[in-house]
């Protein structure tokens, strides 16, 4: 019984020591790989656009929007950087009012 406990303890110790360097490696961040893309999809009833870019510092900026054939639209602009993710919504959708729920702003145009 005592021998089994020692064996188990050594086993766990080995796993802990062995796992430690892997954790350190996983925490090492890769340098950002800048990119950008954009697209638009359109038919008789709506237009959808989307674009995003990341710079060499890892800051991501982008937007997506929807506009229907009556001109009702919603556009979301966002940024993600060392201060977190922030989004700003612009819209003319009926029933909306200017507000800032969940650290996001809604602007009626
Ligand atoms: C646009 O909307 C109309 C009315 O709902 C529908 O009949 C038509 O098929 C739609 N057009 C397209 C391209 O989806």
């Amino acid at each position: 019984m005592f021998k089994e406990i020692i064996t188990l303890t050594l086993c766990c110790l080995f796993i802990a020591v062995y796992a430690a360097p892997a954790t350190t490696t996983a925490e090492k961040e890769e340098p950002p790989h800048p990119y950008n893309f954009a697209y638009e999809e359109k038919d008789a009833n709506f237009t959808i656009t989307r674009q995003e870019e990341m710079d060499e510092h890892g800051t991501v900026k982008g937007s997506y929007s929807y506009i229907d054939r009556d001109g009702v639209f919603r556009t979301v602009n966002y940024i993600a950087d060392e201060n977190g993710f922030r989004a700003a919504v612009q819209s003319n959708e009926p029933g909306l009012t200017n507000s800032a729920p969940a650290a996001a702003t809604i602007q009626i145009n």
Side-chain angles (χ1 to χ4, degrees):
M1 179 68 179
F2 186 68
K3 193 176 176 185
E4 286 166 354
I5 291 174
I6 289 179
T7 306
L8 191 66
T9 305
L10 286 176
C11 176
C12 292
L13 200 65
F14 174 76
I15 291 169
V17 170
Y18 185 75
T23 305
T24 307
T25 305
E27 286 172 359
K28 198 187 286 180
E29 287 188 26
E30 286 224 354
H33 299 286
Y35 64 83
N36 66 75
F37 67 84
Y39 66 79
E40 181 179 279
E41 183 186 348
K42 199 172 192 163
D43 77 6
N45 294 320
F46 66 85
T47 301
I48 290 173
T49 61
R50 169 103 171 84
Q51 68 90 22
E52 186 177 283
E53 64 183 50
M54 184 173 75
D55 68 17
E56 68 278 10
H57 306 294
T59 297
V60 176
K61 292 178 188 169
S63 70
Y64 50 91
S65 72
Y66 172 92
I67 181 167
D68 72 15
R69 65 178 177 184
D70 298 322
V72 176
F73 74 94
R74 180 183 300 193
T75 301
V76 179
N77 294 295
Y78 59 89
I79 182 169
D81 60 14
E82 67 276 5
N83 299 314
F85 178 86
R86 279 111 52 217
V89 180
Q90 292 192 308
S91 179
N92 62 355
E93 293 167 273
L96 288 180
T97 56
N98 290 331
S99 61
T105 62
I106 294 178
Q107 180 182 339
I108 306 306
N109 292 349

